[in-house]
Amino acid sequence: MSQLDSAVKQLRSLSLTAAASQLATLVAKAEANEISYLGFVQSLAEHELLQRNVNRIQRHFKQAQFPSEKRLDQFDYRHQTTVTKRQISGLLDFSFIDERQNLIFIGPPGVGKTHLAIGIGHEAIQAGYKVLFKSALALVEELELAEMKGELKKRLTQLSKYDVLIIDELGYLPMSRQSRYNLFQLINSLYEYRSIILTTNKDFTSWGEFFHDDNVAVPIIDRVIHHSHVFMLGGESYRLKQKVNKT
Ligand code: ADP
Ligand code: MG
């Protein structure tokens, strides 16, 4: 085995896979440019670090489980005029995450709530944050299952590992009392600790009716709204517009 081959093998067994795969190239470069020993070690370490960062972000994208690829630069503010580009761009310093604030997008179907939530989530991952996307329905089902298995606490802990939890389409379907209680437990465990991005078709004024009878509703709503940026979206459904344009 050549010296290079055995060095590559050693790097591999140290789990320095990016450095291992680039070793030959970096050695050749160092020799050609008469780079110092220290400079060479630095370039090797830098390569490993950069690649690890790329891998980490890729892993975070997978973990986020976005249902579709939506980017903020695909969002048309000429169609959606009830929110401005400046307002959304203003969120991208991610102080809302650092300060554990929430974003709430309220509006009828098709106005871009989910698109904005995913787009912001996408940018947050690029910036190094961990994000998880959940439809409210899936989330409620998951919590119910966990609760039945006596694993609610464990699941809540797992969900609070993410910097941002996107809860999509809360309010479209009625929920059992137990489900609302589980949801309350979740929001409680994230409160002032993590950020939530919530999309909903329900105006706050009708949330009382959604959570009807109960005294669990009020604290849920209070906790979500407290420390939140609320965006009320209106206008025409984008889906409808696309259909109309096609004909
Ligand atoms: P909502 O969550 O409010 O029901 P979505 O975000 O799912 O709506 O939007 C419906 C579809 O229309 C998606 O494919 C989305 O990408 C697209 N869309 C909505 N608003 C815009 C917009 N202003 N610019 C570009 N695409 C949009
Ligand atoms: Mg939606």
Side-chain angles (χ1 to χ4, degrees), residues 110 113-115 168-169 172 199 239:
K113 303 182 299 294
T114 302
H115 188 134
D168 192 43
E169 302 198 343
Y172 284 81
T199 83
R239 294 188 190 102

Side-chain angles (χ1 to χ4, degrees), residues 211-229:
F211 285 109
H212 31 137
D213 47 37
D214 68 79
N215 35 19
V216 167
V218 178
I220 291 182
I221 297 170
D222 274 358
R223 298 216 148 176
V224 178
I225 297 175
H226 189 208
H227 308 309
S228 288
H229 304 260

Side-chain angles (χ1 to χ4, degrees), residues 70 74-77 79-80 108-116 168-169 172 238-239 242:
K70 297 290 174 193
Q74 300 161 337
F75 197 77
D76 183 356
Y77 294 92
H79 176 79
Q80 179 45 270
V111 295
K113 303 182 299 294
T114 302
H115 188 134
L116 287 172
D168 192 43
E169 302 198 343
Y172 284 81
Y238 196 83
R239 294 188 190 102
Q242 283 183 317

Side-chain angles (χ1 to χ4, degrees), residues 40-57:
F40 167 75
V41 169
Q42 223 171 11
S43 73
L44 197 66
E46 205 165 76
H47 189 81
E48 180 68 34
L49 284 171
L50 276 175
Q51 193 55 48
R52 281 191 185 191
N53 202 33
V54 168
N55 294 347
R56 194 165 53 91
I57 287 175

Side-chain angles (χ1 to χ4, degrees), residues 77-245:
Y77 294 92
R78 285 166 310 180
H79 176 79
Q80 179 45 270
T81 53
T82 57
V83 65
T84 63
K85 186 170 185 191
R86 175 195 282 254
Q87 281 177 301
I88 298 300
S89 303
L91 300 169
L92 301 181
D93 64 358
F94 299 113
S95 55
F96 85 89
I97 301 178
D98 299 333
E99 289 163 26
R100 285 92 170 99
Q101 295 165 346
N102 307 313
L103 309 182
I104 306 180
F105 294 99
I106 304 173
V111 295
K113 303 182 299 294
T114 302
H115 188 134
L116 287 172
I118 294 175
I120 293 166
H122 187 104
E123 296 294 323
I125 290 174
Q126 297 278 18
Y129 295 99
K130 286 173 73 165
V131 177
L132 180 65
F133 182 102
K134 283 277 170 201
S135 79
L137 190 64
L139 185 64
V140 163
E141 278 174 3
E142 250 177 52
L143 292 180
E144 198 171 338
L145 201 66
E147 198 266 336
M148 280 182 334
K149 287 196 212 154
E151 293 177 350
L152 186 61
K153 268 234 162 69
K154 189 172 135 199
R155 188 71 193 119
L156 294 181
T157 308
Q158 286 166 351
L159 288 167
S160 64
K161 299 239 159 78
Y162 299 86
D163 299 297
V164 182
L165 179 64
I166 300 176
I167 305 177
D168 192 43
E169 302 198 343
L170 185 69
Y172 284 81
L173 287 167
M175 266 184 230
S176 69
R177 174 176 276 272
Q178 183 64 48
S179 296
R180 280 175 273 152
Y181 178 75
N182 293 343
L183 200 60
F184 175 68
Q185 292 297 321
L186 172 66
I187 287 168
N188 215 14
S189 71
L190 300 179
Y191 181 65
E192 291 188 334
Y193 178 54
R194 299 299 189 202
S195 291
I196 298 172
I197 301 180
L198 186 69
T199 83
T200 174
N201 62 338
K202 296 272 174 191
D203 189 349
F204 294 137
T205 50
S206 62
W207 278 31
E209 150 204 335
F210 165 60
F211 285 109
H212 31 137
D213 47 37
D214 68 79
N215 35 19
V216 167
V218 178
I220 291 182
I221 297 170
D222 274 358
R223 298 216 148 176
V224 178
I225 297 175
H226 189 208
H227 308 309
S228 288
H229 304 260
V230 178
F231 300 90
M232 294 276 208
L233 304 188
E236 293 272 301
S237 162
Y238 196 83
R239 294 188 190 102
L240 215 60
K241 175 191 132 144
Q242 283 183 317
K243 275 209 182 111
V244 170
N245 283 353

Side-chain angles (χ1 to χ4, degrees), residues 6-19:
S6 89
V8 165
K9 212 171 150 204
Q10 285 168 326
L11 287 173
R12 285 242 160 79
S13 63
L14 288 167
S15 297
L16 298 168
T17 48

